[in-house]
Amino acid sequence: MTYDKEGEKFSLSPEQALVFTREGQPACMQGFFQAIVSQYETHEKAVKTFKSGKGRPWSQQSGCCFCATDRFFRPGYAANLVETWIPALEGVESKLHAGAKIADIGCGHGSSSILLAQAYPKSEVHAFDFHKPSIMEARKKAKAAGVKNVKFSVTKAQSFPGKDFDFACIFDALHDMGDPVGAAKHIRKSLKPGGTFMLVEPLAGDTMTDNLHPIGQIYYAFSTTVCTPASLAQEVGLGLGAQAGQKRLTQVLNKAGFSHVRRAAETPTNMVLEVR
Ligand SMILES: C[S@@+](CC[C@H](N)C(=O)[O-])C[C@H]1O[C@@H](n2cnc3c(N)ncnc32)[C@H](O)[C@@H]1O
């Protein structure tokens, strides 16, 4: 803040105002600050986990961590998903407008699922997450938004129910999974022939040095106390981390049987991969 002694006034520069006060805009960092607070809340557990090298289930984070994650990611999805990301995928937008069966896996509080259901009212969105409190929160949000074409279920990504999906997506969650290859394999089997999988992951380069800038450092820090332990706590425990990068993600997707991986879009925080 700037303090003007003469006028006795505090003020924020436009840049500071954007970061601290513009709730709902992608550059507003309040969701991230809330995420930091969530880590101090359970600081001792985080230190113990780090020293042991063992996992820490997603469910053992503090409640505020789940809200913060949603608050951090939602503005980016609201600004880009319908306007930019879906149109950047080959042949997907027209299917969603006509009425498609969509799977949103690792949906958390359901912001992406609700945005899809609202934008494509003829489509049905089946949203899955293994964290029951998040699914309960997502159901509340859908009810408050009056959205009827979305259904939330508690289930693992490696075994969610349903077949013949036209479109599957994962938003910032594949790297949190213990068995991302298993999850991607299950997605491949659940898609209709010709279906598309959209993988949204944190933007990252392929080497650690590519990621040593403020956004990469934010991701590495959060990955150290949240994402990597969450993956290590699950079966397989691959521990991709929040800065896996396209090359490593492509290896995972190829291992799951997908042969086509193309970067369809990116923002300063996310990359969007078209996978078939
Ligand atoms: C970082 S959050 C992202 C949530 C949401 N997609 C978003 O963008 O706000 C990661 C989510 O993945 C879920 N998750 C992690 N491993 C999972 C698994 N094996 N099966 C289903 N969900 C999983 C967590 O419960 C959590 O909600």
Side-chain angles (χ1 to χ4, degrees):
M1 273 190 202
T2 306
Y3 179 59
D4 169 28
K5 211 165 125 192
E6 306 304 310
E8 295 190 336
K9 278 192 178 147
F10 295 94
S11 63
L12 295 173
S13 69
E15 293 82 1
Q16 289 166 331
L18 193 61
V19 169
F20 292 111
T21 69
R22 300 281 188 267
E23 186 76 46
Q25 290 198 13
C28 179
M29 295 302 279
Q30 290 295 359
F32 173 65
F33 300 141
Q34 189 178 353
I36 296 176
V37 173
S38 79
Q39 293 314 294
Y40 279 105
E41 264 185 87
T42 53
H43 170 250
E44 276 169 28
K45 209 182 252 178
V47 172
K48 236 188 230 166
T49 306
F50 186 77
K51 284 187 175 165
S52 75
K54 287 189 185 145
R56 176 178 173 195
W58 178 256
S59 57
Q60 281 182 21
Q61 292 292 336
S62 75
C64 161
C65 177
F66 315 125
C67 314
T69 303
D70 182 60
R71 195 173 173 192
F72 177 62
F73 285 125
R74 189 184 187 285
Y77 303 160
N80 299 296
L81 172 59
V82 174
E83 290 211 0
T84 316
W85 296 350
I86 300 284
L89 305 171
E90 211 187 301
V92 171
E93 192 179 28
S94 55
K95 279 192 199 172
L96 301 193
H97 278 307
K101 192 171 166 188
I102 303 173
D104 182 4
I105 303 119
C107 65
H109 282 194
S111 288
S112 53
S113 334
I114 294 169
L115 285 168
L116 286 166
Q118 286 171 326
Y120 309 105
K122 289 186 187 159
S123 290
E124 46 182 77
V125 182
H126 300 260
F128 307 111
D129 200 291
F130 74 168
H131 185 234
K132 194 171 173 199
S134 288
I135 288 293
M136 282 159 64
E137 189 60 31
R139 286 182 183 145
K140 261 197 242 161
K141 285 192 174 181
K143 197 169 173 204
V147 188
K148 299 261 188 297
N149 54 331
V150 59
K151 189 175 167 226
F152 293 98
S153 311
V154 179
T155 171
K156 282 201 279 187
Q158 305 91 296
S159 54
F160 63 83
K163 283 248 154 253
D164 295 330
F165 289 97
D166 300 283
F167 182 54
C169 36
I170 297 189
F171 293 84
D172 290 298
L174 185 78
H175 66 270
D176 295 293
M177 295 176 186
D179 183 10
V181 175
K185 247 185 212 167
H186 186 66
I187 288 175
R188 191 171 57 76
K189 287 187 193 144
S190 307
L191 280 171
K192 252 187 203 163
T196 300
F197 169 27
M198 178 178 76
L199 177 61
V200 178
E201 273 287 298
L203 185 71
D206 291 325
T207 66
M208 190 191 73
T209 43
D210 288 341
N211 303 327
L212 296 181
H213 49 75
I215 298 278
Q217 287 162 344
I218 283 173
Y219 274 131
Y220 274 135
F222 204 61
S223 186
T224 303
T225 59
V226 182
C227 313
T228 303
S231 173
L232 295 182
Q234 297 180 37
E235 57 193 345
V236 181
L238 196 63
L240 282 175
Q243 291 287 270
Q246 184 167 341
K247 196 171 149 198
R248 181 74 184 101
L249 293 168
T250 302
Q251 286 168 356
V252 165
L253 294 163
N254 289 159
K255 212 167 167 196
F258 287 107
S259 54
H260 166 95
V261 180
R262 173 179 74 89
R263 189 176 302 198
E266 67 176 51
T267 66
T269 49
N270 281 118
M271 67 169 112
V272 179
L273 302 180
E274 175 189 76
V275 184
R276 287 197 299 260

